[in-house]
Amino acid sequence: MSADEVRAAMKEKSVDTVREKSGESDLVSVQDELRRVDKLYGEALGYARQFIDDVRDGKPFDFQDAAPLVSGFIDSVFRNESAAAAIGRLKAFDEYTYTHCINVSILAVILGKKLGYSPEKLELVGIAGLFHDVGKAVIPESILNKPGKLTEDEMEVMRTHPLRGYGILKAQQNIPVEVLRGTLEHHEKYDGSGYPRGLKGEQISDIARLLAVVDVYDALTSRRVYKEPMPPTKVLALMYKWRVTDFHPNTVELFIKSLGVYPVGSFVRLSSGLHGVVTDLNPLDPLRPKVRVAYDENMQPLEVKDEDLSQGDLSIMDVVNPDDHGIEIYSLIQ
Ligand SMILES: [Fe+2]
């Protein structure tokens, strides 16, 4: 399915979005929340480095410090979920191993909120996100960061990380069962084609199902040693295509509703030929977000102009990878 087709499919569902969102408004602006969540993200990076390094060194890590960080993520998501969802991509300068666990934690809270989870359950979801890949800390770097394609043997080693992560967490005291299962089952797929156990459908824990969705999104939108990041809209279109085999019914659709067809931070080409960054969603009109126009047809900088696409004739023609043009999105959006 192409990005155009997913846009069409989501448009059909926009009636639900209207119903759900009409009573909801963000407590603070995207820009205000980016400043707050940026600081929290920095603290979380410090924690992620510490616990992953401790696990690599075979030491127990400080599990208790995870809860206050996750409750900070939850507060951020409730203030402005578009900003919380975007921060991981906008700040993606650090090592993937560290940023990925934080991004998955935040995105998992966003999806959990959409699923109507209680605050207590959201905390479990966020903690499970933070630790879901802890088993990768004991996978050799040569496999983890290999620039080329993994051999079948290397793939087999890589596929041990959910079970090894489960073992690492189980060896600690008082890790909730939901977090253990989230770690063990996050690579299981709805149709039973996942690993390590080939669980199917409802056999997979609800937190693991949710992690599976946000994990794939973050992996594909992130830069890795062996690949460039893909624009979020294109990743969501791919996931929409895989929704029946890999993921539980409606989970991908709900995730797209949360993030928008063009998530905040997307770099887009407009019908005028000009280019800009999505600065906010229009929940009542998901295909027509707010865009800060900043580049012309030839990617030459322009005087910045904010356009609300729900008011007027401009529309989005395509998503563009800003890295291909050396454009840094974060400073543009602030
Ligand atoms: Fe994983």
Side-chain angles (χ1 to χ4, degrees), residues 76-119:
S76 172
V77 166
F78 276 84
R79 284 191 299 263
N80 189 309
E81 63 184 56
S82 295
I87 189 71
R89 274 182 304 103
L90 296 174
K91 287 196 59 124
F93 54 80
D94 214 300
E95 199 181 315
Y96 175 79
T97 312
Y98 304 129
T99 55
H100 178 64
C101 62
I102 301 167
N103 298 347
V104 165
S105 178
I106 296 174
L107 294 167
V109 167
I110 289 172
L111 185 50
K113 175 178 177 249
K114 195 71 173 172
L115 287 159
Y117 286 179
S118 67

Side-chain angles (χ1 to χ4, degrees), residues 11 28 34 176 227 254 301 311 331:
K11 197 170 186 178
V28 304
L34 279 174
K227 71 158 191 70
L254 283 176
Q311 318 286 322
S331 49

Side-chain angles (χ1 to χ4, degrees), residues 1-301:
M1 175 176 278
S2 68
D4 285 340
E5 285 168 310
V6 81
R7 281 193 287 271
M10 293 314 295
K11 197 170 186 178
E12 274 172 33
K13 293 175 184 291
S14 66
V15 177
D16 289 343
T17 311
V18 171
R19 199 178 303 130
E20 283 170 28
K21 286 271 192 174
S22 56
E24 251 180 59
S25 63
D26 295 316
L27 294 176
V28 304
S29 69
V30 166
Q31 283 79 5
D32 280 352
E33 188 51 34
L34 279 174
R35 276 190 285 276
R36 293 202 215 192
V37 74
D38 190 331
K39 189 166 170 285
L40 184 64
Y41 198 91
E43 289 166 24
L45 266 179
Y47 176 68
R49 282 200 193 94
Q50 189 63 55
F51 86 74
I52 291 171
D53 291 351
D54 283 347
V55 170
R56 269 187 196 138
D57 296 342
K59 295 195 284 199
F61 62 87
D62 192 347
F63 180 71
Q64 301 310 322
D65 283 354
L69 279 175
V70 167
S71 78
F73 296 155
I74 296 170
D75 290 346
S76 172
V77 166
F78 276 84
R79 284 191 299 263
N80 189 309
E81 63 184 56
S82 295
I87 189 71
R89 274 182 304 103
L90 296 174
K91 287 196 59 124
F93 54 80
D94 214 300
E95 199 181 315
Y96 175 79
T97 312
Y98 304 129
T99 55
H100 178 64
C101 62
I102 301 167
N103 298 347
V104 165
S105 178
I106 296 174
L107 294 167
V109 167
I110 289 172
L111 185 50
K113 175 178 177 249
K114 195 71 173 172
L115 287 159
Y117 286 179
S118 67
E120 295 74 25
K121 187 143 183 186
L122 285 182
E123 189 172 303
L124 285 171
V125 164
I127 292 174
L130 212 43
F131 294 112
H132 78 288
D133 261 352
V134 68
K136 284 192 182 167
V138 293
I139 300 289
E141 289 272 343
S142 56
I143 296 180
L144 213 52
N145 291 323
K146 185 177 172 180
K149 201 171 181 289
L150 297 183
T151 64
E152 202 41 55
D153 285 351
E154 289 167 336
M155 194 74 93
E156 217 162 282
V157 174
M158 193 66 152
R159 287 198 180 119
T160 62
H161 81 269
L163 196 54
R164 295 173 89 168
Y166 175 81
I168 290 162
L169 294 179
K170 196 89 168 95
Q172 297 257 145
Q173 298 284 308
N174 303 323
I175 309 273
V177 65
E178 293 89 344
V179 176
L180 293 173
R181 288 193 66 186
T183 301
L184 181 63
E185 298 170 7
H186 73 275
H187 284 287
E188 301 288 1
K189 291 183 180 174
Y190 186 71
D191 67 358
S193 65
Y195 62 93
R197 291 188 288 172
L199 298 181
K200 264 186 194 172
E202 307 310 304
Q203 294 174 319
I204 306 166
S205 75
D206 55 353
I207 290 183
R209 297 173 202 170
L210 180 159
L211 291 179
V213 170
V214 302
D215 180 27
V216 168
Y217 175 78
D218 188 62
L220 294 180
T221 53
S222 294
R223 177 185 305 285
R224 305 297 304 278
V225 279
Y226 50 83
K227 71 158 191 70
E228 291 295 308
M230 274 173 75
T233 302
K234 296 197 170 161
V235 171
L236 292 173
L238 272 179
M239 291 175 67
Y240 192 78
K241 194 166 131 188
W242 301 330
R243 72 195 185 287
V244 185
T245 51
D246 290 19
F247 308 112
H248 278 66
N250 293 322
T251 327
V252 172
E253 290 91 326
L254 283 176
F255 190 52
I256 298 174
K257 277 186 194 172
S258 290
L259 262 55
V261 175
Y262 303 103
V264 165
S266 296
F267 192 59
V268 295
R269 180 166 58 83
L270 299 176
S271 46
S272 58
L274 306 184
H275 296 84
V277 60
V278 175
T279 52
D280 206 353
L281 308 181
N282 273 317
L284 301 180
D285 198 348
L287 301 179
R288 296 177 178 277
K290 298 184 174 95
V291 175
R292 179 161 297 163
V293 180
Y295 292 89
D296 71 9
E297 299 88 334
N298 303 312
M299 284 311 169
Q300 296 306 307

